[in-house]
Amino acid sequence: MSFKLENMRQWLVAAVMLLTPNLVLAFNAPADVPTWCGKPYMSTNQALDPGGQFQFPTPSKDPLLYLTVQPRYTIFLESDEAGSFIVDASISYTFGEPLQNVNYQSPNHPGVSLDFKISNDENRVLLVSNSIPVNSTGNLFSFPLSAFTPRLAPYPITIRGTLNQQTFTSTTTLYILPSRTYGSAVKIDNLHGGLYVQNPHNNYEGWYAVFPVGYYADGGYVTPPNTSFTNLDTYAAQGFNTINIVPDGGLPDQSYPVSSLQTYWDHLDALNLFNLYDMRFAFQNSTRISTQVALWKDRPTLLSWYTADEPDGYVSTLFR
């Protein structure tokens, strides 16, 4: 079975590469011309149209209602007090559905509101029922987390709005995860932006904001066999709260010496200094990604996974 699946995967990859050559060719530049983001940068090369430009849709002549829903945060934990959704009902000339039988003349037109319901698609449980003004954004509505069983898989969510017997729908996914007692949990605020963390620093109670301030560090320098914490302590004392340790591309697996990084990361945990774990040499290889994630996913100061590094510049392919 695995042999057949692998053959099928290879066939699909080959088919995609044949049908969509822009995925594997460096834009329009000749193969012998060095480029960055598809553009020649040497003074000895002539400029050319790199291709790959965005194709913008033709705007609608009439206003469209663009109804969207998304969780306030990228994740919720079962220990959180409540969840919340962000509901937008903006007027657009690019996205959305045409407004029918609505005399909508300006963004400030009063008296036009949209009734809506938000439901869990798995069991049809109603989570929110309310209304919002048309062309309003950032509307927040809470819902009880007790309506969900914590799990790793997302829940499918649908919003259905009605306006003058016209129906508008949109979908999203919602993560309700089990509470943490180890490692770290990090969520993104989908309304205002920003990161919030839960880890041993706050005894896994509530969340605290982290505004990342830090630098790259050469992995070959900061994780040698004879690890020293002098520079790291000085770095933290200057107020930096994050670090990106660039892996050693010269090592056989282009990663880190595991024992050295474990020792170094133990000190990061003691300082509550967050690591943006870097997998820039592994992002095209799912096996290497899985191995590295399994090694480091439970570290208390893991802030994020740094995957590709400027892949548009290198014109990295998505297949390997």
Side-chain angles (χ1 to χ4, degrees):
M1 176 64 73
S2 60
F3 176 77
K4 291 181 179 179
L5 289 175
E6 178 61 20
N7 282 352
M8 181 178 293
R9 188 190 74 84
Q10 293 176 355
W11 182 88
L12 288 172
V13 169
V16 171
M17 292 170 69
L18 287 172
L19 293 173
T20 55
N22 286 339
L23 290 177
V24 293
L25 297 180
F27 298 100
N28 293 329
D32 60 343
V33 174
T35 64
W36 189 257
C37 293
K39 306 175 185 67
Y41 58 85
M42 300 293 289
S43 61
T44 53
N45 298 128
Q46 293 183 343
L48 55 80
D49 179 358
Q53 289 87 352
F54 287 110
Q55 299 297 316
F56 294 97
T58 302
S60 169
K61 295 183 298 183
D62 301 314
L64 309 174
L65 180 61
Y66 187 38
L67 176 65
T68 62
V69 61
Q70 62 177 324
R72 168 67 189 271
Y73 300 103
T74 49
I75 62 171
F76 294 96
L77 300 182
E78 62 176 317
S79 56
D80 291 338
E81 294 182 358
S84 56
F85 290 113
I86 307 169
V87 180
D88 295 345
S90 57
I91 293 297
S92 172
Y93 289 85
T94 304
F95 304 103
E97 300 295 329
L99 284 166
Q100 300 172 3
N101 303 318
V102 176
N103 183 21
Y104 188 89
Q105 300 296 331
S106 72
N108 298 316
H109 189 280
V112 180
S113 62
L114 176 79
D115 298 324
F116 70 89
K117 298 180 185 295
I118 302 175
S119 303
N120 176 357
D121 280 351
E122 283 194 0
N123 55 16
R124 304 300 179 186
V125 169
L126 179 64
L127 301 171
V128 179
S129 178
N130 216 308
S131 63
I132 54 175
V134 169
N135 205 35
S136 64
T137 59
N139 302 287
L140 287 176
F141 298 93
S142 62
F143 64 91
L145 292 178
S146 59
F148 298 90
T149 300
R151 68 186 194 189
L152 298 183
Y155 285 93
I157 302 297
T158 294
I159 183 171
R160 295 175 176 84
T162 56
L163 178 61
N164 288 354
Q165 299 183 338
Q166 186 179 359
T167 301
F168 303 86
T169 62
S170 184
T171 61
T172 190
T173 54
L174 174 68
Y175 283 91
I176 310 293
L177 305 180
S179 297
R180 297 302 302 260
T181 57
Y182 59 91
S184 65
V186 182
K187 65 181 182 180
I188 301 172
D189 184 345
N190 287 324
L191 183 62
H192 300 300
L195 300 176
Y196 291 85
V197 173
Q198 183 180 110
N199 70 354
H201 185 68
N202 68 340
N203 296 315
Y204 298 100
E205 296 178 357
W207 300 84
Y208 63 97
V210 172
F211 185 86
V213 179
Y215 283 93
Y216 293 94
D218 185 340
Y221 175 72
V222 301
T223 57
N226 55 337
T227 303
S228 171
F229 300 131
T230 301
N231 290 335
L232 184 60
D233 289 335
T234 302
Y235 179 83
Q238 298 300 312
F240 298 108
N241 61 4
T242 58
I243 191 169
N244 180 308
I245 304 172
V246 179
D248 188 348
L251 292 179
D253 62 353
Q254 297 177 302
S255 181
Y256 307 89
V258 173
S259 60
S260 296
L261 184 56
Q262 285 176 334
T263 302
Y264 203 78
W265 208 329
D266 287 343
H267 200 61
L268 292 177
D269 291 342
L271 296 170
N272 201 42
L273 199 157
F274 290 94
N275 189 8
L276 284 66
Y277 184 81
D278 198 315
M279 296 186 287
R280 67 181 62 200
F281 297 117
F283 76 97
Q284 295 169 301
N285 188 310
S286 60
T287 300
R288 290 172 62 188
I289 290 175
S290 297
T291 299
Q292 293 185 49
V293 168
L295 273 172
W296 310 112
K297 63 183 177 64
D298 295 330
R299 300 299 308 208
T301 52
L302 173 65
L303 185 69
S304 66
W305 303 104
Y306 188 106
T307 51
D309 184 77
E310 303 183 29
D312 53 338
Y314 295 104
V315 195
S316 302
T317 60
L318 299 179
F319 305 107
R320 176 172 292 183

